[in-house]
Amino acid sequence: MDPPKTPTKPSTTKLLTGFIHNISPVKTSANHNQYFNMHFQTDTQEYRAVCFTPSKHNEIKAINTESVEISNYTFGKKRSGEEDDNTICINRTTRIKRRKVSFPFSSPQSTKPTKISELADCKPDQLIQLKGLISHVSEIDNITTSTNKQMTKQDCFISDNTGSIRLVLWQGDIGKVIEGRWYVISDVRLKYDYKRKTKYLGTTLEPGTKFSPSDPDKDAPAVVPEQMTEDINTLDTIITDICGVKQYSSFLTCQACKKKIDDQSDSKFKRCFHCNLTQRSNSCITKRHAKIMVKKEDGKMIDLAVFDQMLTTMLQMYIPNPDDDASYMDEEMMLLSLPKLAITYNYSDNSITTIEIDK
């Protein structure tokens, strides 16, 4: 069995202190590598953490919600190949030891149910409590997972007055909800479907999802979708100017697997560590990525991700101003010079789906 691929780029030497919690069972990936997830709360941030050393599972469970210090860790990588500074990777050389801290443990599981619209600000793998109306309960489906495990599942939707989201009932949780009834559901895990680019909820084996029948919210009726669709209530459109450009980068991608090439040398040849292809540097495909800041109607500032094709579309909207020094204008300035825009974005991952000049 090949060892799991973990990021080789060392992270900061900074020690992290905080609380480990929300530890998942040991899982097996499609590549037959074992791992488990958890969250790590510091005084300023909530990190997602993944451990590729299953032998550490009991050790880490023993210090669940205790204050600890973590060293010799790495940051994860996004699917684009960029470093993900919100994800910590733990392996066999990572050191975790108890240490007193000056801030308290803050459980993400609030006693007040989370509104569905608030899930846009929640991290994947976080345990959620919410209240809503069940609709569109599907037939029971027998599936084979990527690890050849046979499982049964049932899909439905849960809705409140702010929106709807898909809920997947696994194994023993099937049949625990009835269509048309309200429930308070605790310890359900927020998941992200990379293929459909949407968030959804899934029941858990550990600690175990809890279902409590509840009275309807008569003053805030649920917004029930007319039909079951993966894209329900994940898009929003705003009319706005671009307030700022927080990140603008370009990188090379492999001409075979299309993933980011990590080799930053000036060599005439580049090797892709994802598919092992060695290729001429000038045959690699250049991609760009930007993160822009815009203001919503309620005054809240949000960051939106702009990927290569959408970035090209936006730059084509730029009309030079006779007063601008063309030699001075770079692509970031061109973005900031665009007129007011109508932007539709997916609030499950804050990526722009369509954009046009507001008329």
Side-chain angles (χ1 to χ4, degrees), residues 22-27 35-38 57 61 189 206:
N22 197 12
I23 304 167
S24 76
V26 175
K27 308 174 186 179
Y35 69 99
F36 59 97
N37 299 320
M38 69 204 85
H57 191 253
K61 283 187 70 175
R189 198 176 297 279
E206 187 178 323

Side-chain angles (χ1 to χ4, degrees), residues 100-118:
K100 291 185 178 180
V101 296
S102 59
F103 54 92
F105 170 63
S106 176
S107 173
Q109 181 71 43
S110 170
T111 56
K112 181 181 179 182
T114 301
K115 288 290 187 181
I116 290 173
S117 61
E118 297 171 344

Side-chain angles (χ1 to χ4, degrees), residues 113 130-133 180-185 211-217:
L130 75 168
K131 177 181 178 179
L133 174 67
R181 295 189 182 180
W182 284 74
Y183 294 86
V184 173
I185 304 179
F211 302 85
S212 301
S214 176
D215 294 328
D217 285 341

Side-chain angles (χ1 to χ4, degrees), residues 80 82 249-253 260-261 285-289:
S80 63
E82 298 175 317
S249 60
S250 62
F251 52 91
L252 296 178
T253 60
K260 181 180 178 181
I261 293 178
I285 304 167
T286 300
K287 297 279 188 178
R288 295 164 299 173
H289 172 266

Side-chain angles (χ1 to χ4, degrees), residues 30-155:
N31 295 326
H32 305 290
N33 296 315
Q34 292 188 309
Y35 69 99
F36 59 97
N37 299 320
M38 69 204 85
H39 282 184
F40 186 70
Q41 173 217 327
T42 69
D43 58 339
T44 60
Q45 185 172 347
E46 178 91 5
Y47 291 93
R48 176 181 178 270
V50 57
C51 180
F52 298 99
T53 308
S55 59
K56 285 182 176 285
H57 191 253
N58 288 336
E59 171 194 344
I60 291 176
K61 283 187 70 175
I63 53 176
N64 183 38
T65 72
E66 293 187 33
S67 56
V68 298
E69 171 188 282
I70 295 182
S71 61
N72 201 25
Y73 57 90
T74 57
F75 285 125
K77 288 188 177 181
K78 301 178 181 178
R79 291 189 169 230
S80 63
E82 298 175 317
E83 187 174 88
D84 182 0
D85 55 10
N86 292 314
T87 300
I88 298 170
C89 292
I90 297 171
N91 54 40
R92 60 183 180 81
T93 62
T94 302
R95 297 187 61 187
I96 304 175
K97 60 182 180 179
R98 289 179 173 87
R99 177 177 171 178
K100 291 185 178 180
V101 296
S102 59
F103 54 92
F105 170 63
S106 176
S107 173
Q109 181 71 43
S110 170
T111 56
K112 181 181 179 182
T114 301
K115 288 290 187 181
I116 290 173
S117 61
E118 297 171 344
L119 295 179
D121 299 321
C122 296
K123 297 179 182 296
D125 288 325
Q126 184 172 329
L127 290 176
I128 303 294
Q129 174 180 286
L130 75 168
K131 177 181 178 179
L133 174 67
I134 298 297
S135 66
H136 301 293
V137 179
S138 73
E139 297 293 328
I140 297 174
D141 190 15
N142 296 305
I143 66 167
T144 302
T145 68
S146 57
T147 57
N148 290 322
K149 185 177 181 180
Q150 301 295 318
M151 297 188 71
T152 55
K153 75 179 186 78
Q154 187 176 45
D155 290 353

